[in-house]
Amino acid sequence: MTSTAKKLLVAAIVFVLAISLWDAMWSNNLHVNLGDDDFDGPLGALFGVVLAGGGMLIAVVALVCAAVFVGVLCAGIGIVLVSALVLASVIVVAAMSPLLLPLLIPVGLYWIFSARARARRQRRAAYAPTA
């Protein structure tokens, strides 16, 4: 999105909110009932806006708490699932290790010989004179 489009989008949102506020504050068809009392006009509009804002605040707090709970729940389930997969893979590798022994012998020999060669190179580099 370009900066012009972003500015236009922000201006449109502010315009719609201003029209909504204008309609809520200066319209004659907003009536608020609190208990047995009936409020209309500007005072009713003020009560309506304040009470609606309080309701929205409560809804936001409830949604945030629900989102945190679901996030923690899913993370806990994810940890259990990953642990179960690791355990299953360890069990499979343990069951297959006698079958993999012919493949592991050449890998082990290559590892040993490369480690010995690396150790010799490091010893030669440690004793080599530096200029």
Side-chain angles (χ1 to χ4, degrees), residues 23-78:
D23 184 52
M25 294 300 286
W26 287 282
S27 65
N28 292 328
N29 43 345
L30 182 66
H31 300 281
V32 178
N33 295 323
L34 291 175
D36 292 335
D37 297 327
D38 185 27
F39 298 100
D40 59 353
L43 185 61
L46 181 66
F47 277 150
V49 170
V50 168
L51 294 176
M56 291 298 288
L57 183 66
I58 291 171
V60 166
V61 169
L63 284 175
V64 167
C65 290
V68 168
F69 176 72
V70 169
V72 168
L73 179 71
C74 289
I77 290 172

